Amino acid sequence: MNKLILVSLISTMGLSAFGQQSLPVPAAVQQAYAKGTRDISGRPGAKYWQNTADYDLKVNFDPSSRILKGTVAISYKNQSPDTLKELWFKLYPNLYKKGVPRTSRIAEKDQNDGVEISAMEVNGKTIPAAAINIDGTNMHTAIAALAPGATAKLNITYQYIVNKGSHTRTGQVDDGAFFIAYFFPRVAVYDDVDGWNKFPYLGDAEFYNDFCNFKAAVTVPGDYVLWATGDLVNTKNVFLPAIADKIALAGKVDSVVNVITAADLASGNVTTKKDSHTWKFEAENVTDFVFALSNHYLWKSSSLVVDPVTSRRTRVDAVFNAAHKDYYEVIDFARKSVEAMSYKFPKWPFPYQHETVFDGLDQMEYPMMVNDNPTGKREDAITLTDHEIFHTMFPFYMGINETKYGWMDEGWATIGEWLISPMIEPSMSDDYGISATAISSGTTNDTPVMTITPDLKGVGSFTNSYPKPGLGYLYIRDLLGDELFTKALHHYIEQWHGKHPMPYDFFYSMNEGAGKNMDWFWKRWFFEGGVNDLGLVSADKTSEGYVIKVENKGGRPLPVDLTLNYADDSSEKLHQSVAVWEAGDKVISVPLKTTKKLKRVIIGAALVPDKFDNNNFLNVK
C-alpha cells in the first residue's frame, strides 16, 4: 500500500477498523479499498458495483437423442466504471468436449464435440465465427466499446448433446429422468477485484455467477414433468386440474401432499394431453437457472411459514424414483432443514419460494434445486439433504466466488450439516471430515485455508473446503456465544446478500457485527498452517483443587475439552473456547475447583481434530 492510499484510509476509518489490518491484505483488495468499492469495515464500499443481466432462454430438449437446442437473449448491463471492449462467457457443457482440460473423469464414450455456437449477435451486429474464441469452458469475443452504464443486447443460438454417463453435476439419470445444469452460454463475472473470471471449469472447483433475472421456456415431450429454478408461470397449461390443485394446496399447508402418485403415473393423468409442452419459468435476482425432468417420478410436497413477520411460506418438494426407498423420507428431511435454517441456524428466513430435492446422480446444489443421489443409510440421506439445502444461503443468497474460495460456502454447509442433522434426528452425531483434518494436519497438502481453490492438492482439496473452515466458524460461534455470533453473522448477511463478498469482507464484517476484533483467530486459522495437536502436560494440586496444564503443540487455536475422572468414580467435563489461545501462549493453565481427588484427565472432543493421541491421557498421582 503506498503512502497516499494509507493516509486516505487512515483519514476515513476508525482506529478499531485500522487495527484489523493485522491480516495480510493482497494488493488487489487494497486497491478495492482505495477505489471505494469495498470498505475496511467489511461493508460494501460507497462505490461498490456489480454487473447483471436479464436472460431469456428458449430451449428444446429431446430425451431420446439427448440433443439440447437453444437460443438465449441476454441484456447485459455494464454497471462497472470500466469500458468493456470484450465479453467473456462460460460454456460449462464443454467439460464433456473432446480434448479439453479437466480434472473430472469423463469416459471416452461420453466425450463429444461440445457446444456448437451457430449464431451470435451483439447489439444487432453479427459476430463472425472466426471472432468467437472458444477455449475449453471459456469463450470470449471482442465487441464495440461498452461504456459504463451501457447495456449490450446479445443473441446466441447453440446446441449440444447432454451426457448419458459420466454424470458430473448434470446429465441423464435414467431412461426417463435428467438433471440439466449449465446448459446455456452465460456472461462470466466481471468484478471489482479480479476483472473477468477467466478460471476454466475443470469439473472439480465450482462456480461464480452474477445475480441475474431469468425467463425460460423449455419444450419437452408431453409425458414429462419439469421442475426448475424459479416459478412455473403456466401451471394450468401443462398439468391436469387435479395435479395443479394439489400443487396449489401444498403451498398452503404444513402437511405432506402427494402431488404425483404411482396411481397418477399408471393412469397417465398428470400432464395435459399434448405431444409436447413448453414449461415456462421466471426467476429474479438469482445466480443460476437449472431444470430437471422425468416421466416416472413421484412428487411429495409440503410448505411452511419461514418468516413469521410476513407469514411468507416456502414450498418444499421431493421428486424421486419410486424404487428408491430412502427418498420417501426426504420430504421430511428437506422440510426440517428449511425450518431449522429459518428458526435455529442461521435463524434467517429461507430466502426462496420453493426448494426441490431431485433424485439424481450427484450431490450438488443450485438456486431452489438440489441434485441428490439416493443413499443406503438414513443418516446419509439426512446429512446430504441438509448440507445441500444449506447451500441456499451460501453461495446463492450470498454471491460467493466458489471458483476461488470454495471454503466460503462449503465450510458453511458443513457446519450447517453438523448443527442441523441432530435437529432432524436427535440420536445422530456427525463428525464429517474431522478424522481427515486431524491426520492430514501438518502434511504437504495441509495448506492454509486461504489457498485459492484451484491451487489445492490431494486431501487439502477436501479439508480446506469443508471441515477446516467449518471448524473455524464453529469455534468462533463457541467463542462469541450463540446470541452474539448470530448478531455478527446476520450483520454479514445483511451487508452482502445479493452481492459478491470476498474473504476479507467476511472477516471484517464479522468483526464489526460482533464488536470484537477477531483477527488473531482469522489469521491463525485461515492464513497459517500447523499441526492440530493438543496435549496434557500436568495436573498439579492446589489449595482449591487442581491446575491442569495444556500444551498447544501445533499453534492452531483449538477448544480445550477435558474429561475429569475422580477417585470416587464420578466424572465431569470442562470446556474452554479458543479464547484461551488469544495471547499466543503455547501452554495454558486451566484451573479446576474441586474437593474431590482427581484420578485421570482426558483431552478431546468429537469436533476437535487431534493428530496425536499419545498425549491425550494423564493419570494423576
Side-chain angles (χ1 to χ4, degrees):
M1 179 181 293
N2 66 46
K3 292 182 179 179
L4 289 177
I5 295 175
L6 182 61
V7 170
S8 176
L9 282 175
I10 292 174
S11 67
T12 57
M13 64 190 176
L15 291 176
S16 60
F18 182 65
Q20 293 174 359
Q21 283 284 26
S22 61
L23 297 183
V25 182
V29 177
Q30 292 185 22
Q31 290 170 5
Y33 294 151
K35 292 178 181 178
T37 58
R38 294 172 194 264
D39 191 82
I40 193 67
S41 67
R43 297 170 179 260
K47 296 182 179 179
Y48 177 82
W49 57 266
Q50 62 192 46
N51 290 349
T52 187
D54 296 328
Y55 285 81
D56 190 349
L57 305 166
K58 292 182 172 59
V59 171
N60 190 303
F61 177 62
D62 179 5
S64 59
S65 67
R66 306 193 315 281
I67 295 176
L68 186 150
K69 297 181 178 180
T71 62
V72 52
I74 308 171
S75 179
Y76 180 70
K77 303 168 187 176
N78 179 20
Q79 298 180 155
S80 81
D82 306 323
T83 297
L84 303 179
K85 297 182 180 179
E86 61 178 355
L87 291 177
W88 281 72
F89 300 81
K90 295 299 179 182
L91 294 182
Y92 293 128
N94 273 0
L95 180 70
Y96 292 88
K97 185 177 181 178
K98 297 173 184 175
V100 304
R102 64 175 72 88
T103 54
S104 293
R105 302 177 68 176
I106 306 298
E108 186 174 351
K109 65 180 180 180
D110 292 315
Q111 297 178 31
N112 54 42
D113 294 329
V115 180
E116 175 190 342
I117 304 294
S118 55
M120 179 187 293
E121 291 183 354
V122 178
N123 291 331
K125 180 181 178 181
T126 298
I127 304 296
I132 302 173
N133 302 290
I134 298 177
D135 181 12
T137 56
N138 282 336
M139 177 175 75
H140 63 97
T141 185
I143 60 169
L146 185 64
T151 297
K153 301 288 187 178
L154 317 174
N155 288 281
I156 303 172
T157 303
Y158 68 100
Q159 70 175 49
Y160 72 97
I161 299 175
V162 172
N163 55 296
K164 182 175 183 179
S166 303
H167 191 108
T168 300
R169 300 170 175 153
T170 183
Q172 183 167 332
V173 176
D174 61 31
D175 286 342
F178 300 80
F179 195 96
I180 310 297
Y182 329 121
F183 63 91
F184 57 95
R186 65 173 305 144
V187 182
V189 174
Y190 182 81
D191 69 29
D192 64 309
V193 175
D194 295 319
W196 288 110
N197 171 27
K198 298 180 182 180
F199 284 102
Y201 172 51
L202 303 177
D204 52 358
E206 297 180 12
F207 307 93
Y208 183 33
N209 297 317
D210 276 320
F211 286 89
C212 300
N213 300 321
F214 294 90
K215 290 184 178 180
V218 182
T219 302
V220 296
D223 60 336
Y224 277 81
V225 175
L226 195 141
W227 299 266
T229 301
D231 295 325
L232 178 64
V233 297
N234 64 334
T235 304
K236 294 181 179 180
N237 297 110
V238 293
F239 283 116
L240 291 173
I243 303 297
D245 289 345
K246 286 194 282 187
I247 296 172
L249 176 63
K252 300 175 182 177
V253 299
D254 294 342
S255 57
V256 175
V257 177
N258 292 304
V259 177
I260 298 177
T261 65
D264 294 326
L265 293 169
S267 65
N269 291 322
V270 177
T271 57
T272 57
K273 306 304 180 181
K274 295 180 181 178
D275 291 337
S276 66
H277 291 109
T278 298
W279 299 73
K280 297 180 179 180
F281 288 85
E282 295 181 1
E284 294 183 353
N285 201 37
V286 294
T287 58
D288 204 357
F289 183 93
V290 300
F291 68 92
L293 63 154
S294 174
N295 60 9
H296 64 279
Y297 272 21
L298 304 180
W299 182 356
K300 291 180 177 289
S301 186
S302 180
S303 66
L304 67 153
V305 173
V306 295
D307 187 347
V309 175
T310 63
S311 297
R312 180 173 60 83
R313 301 182 75 91
T314 289
R315 195 188 77 229
V316 183
D317 303 319
V319 294
F320 58 97
N321 188 325
H324 296 156
K325 300 306 180 184
D326 65 305
Y327 248 94
Y328 287 83
E329 279 194 281
V330 164
I331 185 63
D332 182 53
F333 304 154
R335 191 181 190 283
K336 287 180 177 177
S337 296
V338 171
E339 181 179 33
M341 289 172 63
S342 300
Y343 295 100
K344 301 282 186 65
F345 182 78
K347 298 182 184 178
W348 190 275
F350 195 81
Y352 299 124
Q353 58 268 38
H354 74 80
E355 180 73 18
T356 301
V357 183
F358 186 84
D359 181 359
L361 291 176
D362 214 290
Q363 301 182 356
M364 190 62 192
E365 69 281 354
Y366 306 86
M368 306 180 213
M369 295 281 286
V370 167
N371 175 9
D372 275 355
N373 59 273
T375 64
K377 295 181 179 179
R378 184 173 185 268
E379 293 80 4
D380 292 341
I382 291 172
T383 57
L384 177 57
T385 301
D386 60 36
H387 181 109
E388 303 306 337
I389 291 179
F390 201 90
H391 275 300
T392 297
M393 293 298 297
F394 310 89
F396 302 132
Y397 193 58
M398 311 286 285
I400 289 162
N401 183 349
E402 298 174 276
T403 304
K404 285 184 70 176
Y405 310 112
W407 60 268
M408 290 187 71
D409 75 297
E410 293 295 355
W412 283 113
T414 300
I415 186 178
E417 174 183 329
W418 290 336
L419 297 177
I420 291 176
S421 295
M423 298 178 191
I424 297 174
E425 176 49 72
S427 64
M428 282 188 63
S429 59
D430 183 12
D431 59 356
Y432 176 67
I434 302 302
S435 177
T437 302
I439 294 170
S440 65
S441 69
T443 63
T444 302
N445 292 327
D446 182 34
T447 56
V449 175
M450 281 291 290
T451 306
I452 65 170
T453 301
D455 290 346
L456 296 176
K457 306 294 181 185
V459 69
S461 297
F462 166 66
T463 57
N464 266 27
S465 298
Y466 294 81
K468 282 169 62 178
L471 289 170
Y473 306 146
L474 189 70
Y475 297 162
I476 285 293
R477 182 174 184 254
D478 182 39
L479 169 70
L480 296 176
D482 184 61
E483 183 177 350
L484 185 55
F485 176 82
T486 300
K487 177 184 176 184
L489 180 57
H490 283 192
H491 176 73
Y492 170 51
I493 295 172
E494 287 164 357
Q495 296 300 317
W496 287 101
H497 73 82
K499 301 180 177 68
H500 293 311
M502 300 297 178
Y504 295 89
D505 304 316
F506 164 67
F507 298 136
Y508 296 157
S509 185
M510 288 292 288
N511 286 359
E512 183 179 72
K516 184 178 180 64
N517 190 328
M518 297 177 286
D519 285 356
W520 70 271
F521 179 82
W522 304 132
K523 190 171 186 291
R524 287 189 229 167
W525 192 265
F526 288 86
F527 291 80
E528 298 176 356
V531 177
N532 298 315
D533 184 23
L534 296 182
L536 295 168
V537 177
S538 62
D540 300 321
K541 191 77 175 71
T542 69
S543 59
E544 294 186 331
Y546 294 85
V547 170
I548 302 167
K549 290 187 177 181
V550 179
E551 182 180 10
N552 187 339
K553 292 192 172 183
R556 279 180 175 158
L558 295 163
V560 175
D561 289 275
L562 302 177
T563 300
L564 308 166
N565 296 327
Y566 295 103
D568 64 358
D569 292 330
S570 64
S571 64
E572 66 175 315
K573 294 185 181 295
L574 182 62
H575 171 76
Q576 300 284 317
S577 78
V578 293
V580 296
W581 306 109
E582 182 172 356
D585 298 324
K586 290 296 184 182
V587 178
I588 61 166
S589 296
V590 180
L592 170 63
K593 290 185 177 182
T594 183
T595 58
K596 296 181 180 181
K597 178 174 175 53
L598 186 62
K599 183 173 65 174
R600 196 180 198 208
V601 183
I602 304 169
I603 190 169
L607 293 179
V608 180
D610 197 340
K611 185 165 187 172
F612 302 108
D613 61 7
N614 59 347
N615 54 8
N616 290 0
F617 305 88
L618 181 67
N619 292 318
V620 183
K621 296 180 181 179

